Amino acid sequence: MFCIKTESNDRQSEKFRGGGISVELFIYLLLFVTANIIDWIIALSDAKELETYLRALYIVSVIVVVMTGVILKKGKIILWHMVGKADCIPLIFLLLLALIRLPIPDASFDTLNYHLFWQDSFGEDIIRNHFFPTRVINSLFFCLGDRTYHIFRQLLGYRGGTILGTLALMLIYLQGKIFLQKTYFVITGKEPERKHQILASIMSLLCILVEQILIYVDTYYVDWLAIPFLAEVLLRIFFADKQEDKDIWILGVMAGVCVCIKPSNAVYVLLLVLIYIAKFYKNIQWWTWICGMTFCIFVCIPYICVGYRMTGNPTFPYLNGLFKSEWFFFMGVDEYSGMKDLFGPASLKEYIFWPYYMTFRPNDIHFADNPQYCGRLLVALIVGIASIARTIMTKKSCMINRASEFFICVYILYLTCINGHLRYALFMEWFAGIVLAVGILTLLNENGLKRCSKVVCIGFLALSTIFSIRWAGKYILSSNVFVNKDNWLQNAKYLFHDYEKTNLPVTDIGGFIVFDTNGSMMSMLDIDVPIVNLKSGALTEAGKSQSEIILSNIEEKGKIYSLSKPNALIQLADEIRMQGYSIESVYTIKMPSMVNTSGYCYLVSVRKEEKEILVCEGEKSEKIVFDSSLAGKKLNILVGRKWSGMSDKTMNLKICVDANEEIIGASLNTNGEFYQYEMQLPDDIETGIEIELNTETLQNKWMIVEY
C-alpha cells in the first residue's frame, strides 16, 4: 500500500542510501545509547550520586566512542552524510533561533513539575524514599529523553542543556529535505537541480516551524526528540529497495529509544514496524526480525525493571488494568491506555470535524497546551482525501497518494490512541507539512493543469504555512531578546555557568511537601531529603498510609519545607491552608537556573496546623483590614521582599487594634530573610484591626498574615 518502487541502486540519489545510516543521525542515536547504558548501570547498581553519575558518563562515553570506531573500521555500519551546501543557511537559522532564546532559563510547567526530577533522580524510589514528587502521568520511569538532556545539562549547564532539542530539529529538517528531494526524483525521474534542492530545503524548514515546536524548542520537553528516528524508518519505507540484517538491528535500537523517550510514541512505532515488515519481509530472515525486537526490548529493560520494582507494574502507569498496581492514583485516566480524558474529541461531530475545531474554534476544545494553531492538519486532510479520491477515479497512483494514505493512518491513530493531543503527535504535524510540500512539488510538475489553476492550488496548500510563518515571526520578535533586553543580558551572564545546585540558608530541613506542580525545583536544591506530594499517590488509601509514614520520618529528622515558584506565593499559601498546614517561616533563596527575572524563589517552612492565611504582594501589602471576628486569636505576621538584593533604610509595621496603635520596626537585611511578628489579640475588639506596612517602596514586598 505504502511501498513505492524506487530507482535502482546505481541511480540512487546522493542524498539518501537505502542501507546504512547517516553520520548525523548515528551521532544523535549514540547520545541516547550512552544515556541508556548509564541507566542500565543505575538500575543494576542503585548508584545515584552525582559524582558516580559523572564518572559513569565519562567511562561509558569513552567505551561507546571506542566501540563505534571498532565497528566502523570493520565495516559493519555504512555511514553517509545528509548535510549539503544548500543546508548552511537553514541550519544556521535554526541555530540562531535557539541561541536567541537560550539565555532565558526554562521555567515551563512540565519542566518544573517532573522533567528535571527524572533527569537527576532516575532509579530513586518514589514511593518509599520520596512519595510521587511529580504529578504528571507520563513522567514515570520511561524517561530516556530526560536522561539524555541530563548529559547536555551536565556539560553545558541548565540553560545550555536544552540545545539537544535544537539538534533534533536540525535532523528533522535534513530528513525532510531528503524526503522532498527523493520525491522530486520519483515524480520527474531525474536528479533535482540546484534550484530544486534549494526549494526542498526551504519547504523542509517550513515543515518544522510550527507553533507547538517553536513554543517549547528551548525547553526540556521531549515530544519531538523521537521524530528523527521515526522519519528514518519512513524514508526507508518510501525510498529504499532492500534492507540488510544490520539495518534491522539499528532500527530495533531506534524503536526502543522512541518508546523510552515517550511511551505514546509506541503507537507510531508499531504502525511503522508493520509497514516496514510488509515491504521488506521477503529479503530478511525471520531470526533477524527477532534480533531487532530483542534490541528494542533491551533498551526498555532498565525502565521496565525500575517501574516493576517500585510499583509492581513494569509499564506503570500504563496497562494498570492488567497489572493492578495498588499505587495507581490517576484521576480521569484510562487504566489500560494511560490517556487522560481532558483532551480529544468528545462527540461524533468533534471526531469528524476535529481539524476544523482546531483551526477555527480552538478555545472550545482541548487539543494542545497552547491553542494557537495555523490549520495545517485541516489543509493536509483535505489534500489527502482529494488525492485518494482522484486515485480511485483515475486508477493512477502517485507520490502524493502514497503520502496521503500514510498521513491518514497516522491521523486516525492520533484521534483514537493519542486522544487528540497535538503535542503528543508532532510526528504527524511534521508529516502533514511534508504532505503539503509533496502536493506542491506534484503541482509544479503537472503538465495537464493550467497555470492559473496551479497558482490557486499551490496558494491553498501554502495557506497554513503562511499563517504559521506570520505567527512564528511575531513569536520570535516578542521574545525577551527584543522586548526585555536587560533581562536577556542579565540571564546571558549565567549561560554555561549554571551547573551547581542551589545552596540553602537553613540546615534543619527534614523533607519537602509539594503543594504546587514544582517537584523538580526541590530536586534542584543542594540537599538529599524526601519529597512528598499530597496531591498524587496520597489520593488512595495505600498512598495516604505511605505518605503519612514518610512525613513522620521527615518530622523525626527536621522541619518540613516547601518551595514556591516566583510570583506564586499567594497560590502556595492557599494550597498550604487547604491541606491543613500553616506557614512557620519564609526565606528567599537564589535560584538563577530556574527563574526568568529576579533569580529568587521562596523557601517556606510549614507545620501541621490549620489556620487562615492571607498573602499580599506589591501595592496590596500596604494596608490590610480585618473586622472584630479575630478577637482572641493569635496573629502571626511575616514581611519579606521578592528580591533580596534590595534593602530599605526604613520599614515600619503599624498595627492598629481599635484605637490602640503599635509601630514595630521591621528591618530586613540583604540576605532575603523575612521579619516575623506574633501578637495575641484581646478578647474584646470592638471596631477591627488594621495592619499597615510603611516603606520606601512596596513593589518588591510581600506580607503574610496567619490567624
Side-chain angles (χ1 to χ4, degrees):
M1 180 179 180
F2 303 107
C3 304
I4 298 176
K5 185 178 180 180
T6 58
E7 67 279 14
S8 60
N9 288 337
D10 59 338
R11 297 183 61 195
Q12 280 278 1
S13 168
E14 289 300 313
K15 290 299 179 184
F16 179 72
R17 313 302 204 281
I21 183 175
S22 69
V23 63
E24 296 90 349
L25 184 62
F26 186 61
I27 294 173
Y28 184 70
L29 177 62
L30 288 181
L31 294 172
F32 291 89
V33 170
T34 301
N36 183 247
I37 294 174
I38 294 173
D39 288 348
W40 264 93
I41 295 172
I42 290 175
L44 293 174
S45 66
D46 200 35
K48 307 171 190 65
E49 293 80 7
L50 180 60
E51 291 183 2
T52 305
Y53 172 84
L54 294 176
R55 194 180 302 116
L57 175 60
Y58 175 77
I59 296 173
V60 171
S61 299
V62 171
I63 293 174
V64 168
V65 170
V66 171
M67 292 301 298
T68 301
V70 172
I71 293 172
L72 294 178
K73 187 175 181 180
K74 291 188 175 183
K76 298 297 183 181
I77 299 177
I78 300 172
L79 292 182
W80 53 279
H81 69 87
M82 292 189 288
V83 178
K85 293 181 180 179
D87 302 318
C88 294
I89 294 178
L91 291 177
I92 291 174
F93 171 78
L94 290 174
L95 187 60
L96 289 176
L97 185 64
L99 292 177
I100 285 173
R101 298 172 56 189
L102 202 62
I104 305 302
D106 178 16
S108 51
F109 181 88
D110 284 357
T111 297
L112 301 187
N113 185 0
Y114 66 89
H115 280 305
L116 295 179
F117 179 85
W118 285 108
Q119 285 183 26
D120 294 327
S121 309
F122 172 73
E124 288 196 16
D125 196 328
I126 63 167
I127 295 178
R128 296 158 192 88
N129 181 13
H130 304 289
F131 189 75
F132 290 101
T134 62
R135 288 174 55 187
V136 175
I137 186 168
N138 56 354
S139 65
L140 302 178
F141 308 124
F142 288 87
C143 54
L144 183 54
D146 295 320
R147 299 292 289 167
T148 309
Y149 268 123
H150 192 231
I151 294 176
F152 281 79
R153 209 178 102 208
Q154 293 300 323
L155 296 175
L156 303 176
Y158 182 80
R159 288 165 172 80
T162 59
I163 201 69
L164 174 63
T166 301
L167 297 180
L169 285 189
M170 290 179 172
L171 278 173
I172 299 167
Y173 154 75
L174 291 171
Q175 292 169 310
K177 175 206 67 172
I178 291 173
F179 193 104
L180 297 177
Q181 287 182 353
K182 294 296 295 180
T183 296
Y184 179 86
F185 185 94
V186 171
I187 293 173
T188 64
K190 56 185 180 181
E191 291 288 345
E193 300 175 4
R194 181 169 178 76
K195 62 180 180 180
H196 299 121
Q197 294 177 3
I198 294 175
L199 178 62
S201 296
I202 293 173
M203 289 193 295
S204 178
L205 180 63
L206 296 178
C207 286
I208 59 176
L209 295 182
V210 294
E211 298 85 352
Q212 298 301 316
I213 288 180
L214 287 177
I215 291 171
Y216 300 110
V217 66
D218 278 320
T219 69
Y220 284 105
Y221 283 42
V222 301
D223 302 271
W224 57 90
L225 295 184
I227 296 179
F229 304 123
L230 300 173
E232 173 70 12
V233 182
L234 201 61
L235 281 167
R236 293 167 185 260
I237 290 172
F238 273 84
F239 303 116
D241 288 327
K242 64 178 182 178
Q243 296 285 269
E244 303 294 338
D245 290 352
K246 53 197 171 191
D247 295 320
I248 307 301
W249 302 339
I250 295 174
L251 294 176
V253 175
M254 289 184 183
V257 168
C258 286
V259 174
C260 294
I261 288 174
K262 199 176 186 73
S264 58
N265 290 328
V267 175
Y268 306 119
V269 169
L270 181 60
L271 174 65
L272 289 170
V273 166
L274 292 176
I275 299 173
Y276 185 84
I277 291 175
K279 180 172 183 178
F280 297 111
Y281 76 95
K282 290 183 179 179
N283 69 307
I284 299 177
Q285 298 179 0
W286 62 270
W287 64 268
T288 304
W289 296 109
I290 295 177
C291 288
M293 293 176 61
T294 302
F295 277 109
C296 175
I297 295 172
F298 188 82
V299 174
C300 301
I301 285 178
Y303 316 103
I304 290 173
C305 290
V306 169
Y308 181 77
R309 185 171 69 231
M310 294 185 196
T311 68
N313 179 353
T315 59
F316 189 89
Y318 306 96
L319 300 179
N320 198 68
L322 176 64
F323 294 102
K324 301 295 183 181
S325 170
E326 64 177 331
W327 304 110
F328 187 88
F329 62 87
F330 300 95
M331 302 295 108
V333 171
D334 183 81
E335 282 200 55
Y336 286 93
S337 68
M339 288 293 174
K340 302 176 184 178
D341 57 9
L342 174 64
F343 296 93
S347 64
L348 179 61
K349 182 180 178 181
E350 288 187 0
Y351 267 104
I352 297 173
F353 298 105
W354 191 247
Y356 167 82
Y357 281 96
M358 292 170 65
T359 307
F360 298 106
R361 298 176 61 182
N363 295 322
D364 296 339
I365 60 173
H366 295 287
F367 75 95
D369 300 326
N370 190 309
Q372 178 70 40
Y373 190 59
C374 64
R376 176 181 289 179
L377 283 185
L378 178 61
V379 179
L381 194 61
I382 293 172
V383 171
I385 294 173
S387 65
I388 293 174
R390 179 177 178 272
T391 301
I392 294 173
M393 294 174 61
T394 61
K395 297 183 180 180
K396 292 182 180 180
S397 182
C398 59
M399 184 65 183
I400 183 64
N401 179 52
R402 301 293 194 274
S404 299
E405 288 174 348
F406 179 79
F407 167 72
I408 289 176
C409 285
V410 176
Y411 174 75
I412 292 172
L413 290 175
Y414 161 67
L415 282 186
T416 55
C417 300
I418 310 297
N419 282 31
H421 194 324
L422 188 57
R423 186 161 55 81
Y424 295 174
L426 289 179
F427 170 65
M428 174 197 63
E429 175 74 1
W430 167 77
F431 192 73
I434 295 293
V435 169
L436 298 182
V438 170
I440 292 174
L441 289 177
T442 303
L443 287 170
L444 289 174
N445 292 277
E446 181 66 53
N447 296 324
L449 199 63
K450 293 182 180 180
R451 179 175 294 181
C452 60
S453 299
K454 283 187 179 182
V455 172
V456 172
C457 292
I458 291 174
F460 174 73
L461 294 177
L463 189 62
S464 62
T465 302
I466 293 172
F467 286 128
S468 183
I469 293 172
R470 178 174 174 271
W471 182 89
K474 290 176 62 178
Y475 182 76
I476 294 170
L477 292 175
S478 64
S479 62
N480 274 270
V481 66
F482 298 105
V483 176
N484 192 342
K485 294 182 180 179
D486 292 338
N487 181 41
W488 189 89
L489 291 172
Q490 179 184 359
N491 277 282
K493 295 185 295 184
Y494 292 105
L495 195 60
F496 309 126
H497 291 84
D498 48 1
Y499 298 90
E500 301 298 327
K501 290 193 173 186
T502 300
N503 294 321
L504 297 171
V506 292
T507 59
D508 60 351
I509 298 178
F512 288 98
I513 292 182
V514 181
F515 292 102
D516 198 0
T517 52
N518 59 345
S520 279
M521 290 180 66
M522 297 169 191
S523 70
M524 290 288 289
L525 300 176
D526 190 18
I527 186 170
D528 184 18
V529 294
I531 303 173
V532 178
N533 194 327
L534 297 180
K535 284 195 170 183
S536 295
L539 297 175
T540 66
E541 288 300 322
K544 185 177 180 181
S545 175
Q546 179 63 23
S547 64
E548 289 175 352
I549 291 173
I550 296 182
L551 286 173
S552 177
N553 294 335
I554 290 174
E555 290 174 340
E556 291 178 1
K557 297 177 181 178
K559 293 183 178 180
I560 300 175
Y561 282 79
S562 188
L563 195 65
S564 170
K565 290 178 283 191
N567 303 321
L569 188 58
I570 294 177
Q571 294 90 329
L572 176 68
D574 192 48
E575 289 287 344
I576 289 173
R577 178 186 59 80
M578 288 191 296
Q579 293 292 333
Y581 285 79
S582 63
I583 296 175
E584 184 178 40
S585 59
V586 179
Y587 300 87
T588 52
I589 59 173
K590 190 173 184 178
M591 297 187 71
S593 61
M594 300 295 295
V595 186
N596 281 335
T597 52
S598 65
Y600 288 88
C601 295
Y602 298 123
L603 179 66
V604 183
S605 174
V606 299
R607 58 180 178 268
K608 187 65 175 177
E609 181 183 9
E610 293 190 14
K611 281 191 173 184
E612 292 295 322
I613 302 175
L614 178 66
V615 181
C616 298
E617 292 187 278
E619 299 290 347
K620 294 182 179 179
S621 63
E622 181 178 8
K623 180 182 289 188
I624 303 174
V625 179
F626 296 97
D627 59 25
S628 58
S629 61
L630 295 189
K633 291 189 175 182
K634 187 177 182 180
L635 207 62
N636 185 24
I637 304 172
L638 300 97
V639 181
R641 62 167 61 86
K642 291 183 183 178
W643 304 296
S644 62
M646 303 175 64
S647 61
D648 297 276
K649 295 179 181 178
T650 60
M651 178 183 291
N652 293 324
L653 190 66
K654 184 172 72 172
I655 303 175
C656 184
V657 180
D658 291 338
N660 300 318
E661 184 177 286
E662 182 178 359
I663 299 178
I664 305 104
S667 176
L668 305 184
N669 61 36
T670 57
N671 292 326
E673 296 181 0
F674 65 97
Y675 177 85
Q676 182 172 3
Y677 178 76
E678 293 185 355
M679 180 179 185
Q680 180 65 49
L681 297 175
D683 296 329
D684 55 347
I685 299 177
E686 297 180 359
T687 307
I689 306 159
E690 289 186 4
I691 304 173
E692 185 175 349
L693 183 63
N694 296 320
T695 181
E696 293 178 351
T697 174
L698 288 163
Q699 293 299 322
N700 69 320
K701 303 301 188 305
W702 52 261
M703 181 160 54
I704 297 175
V705 181
E706 285 187 336
Y707 53 92

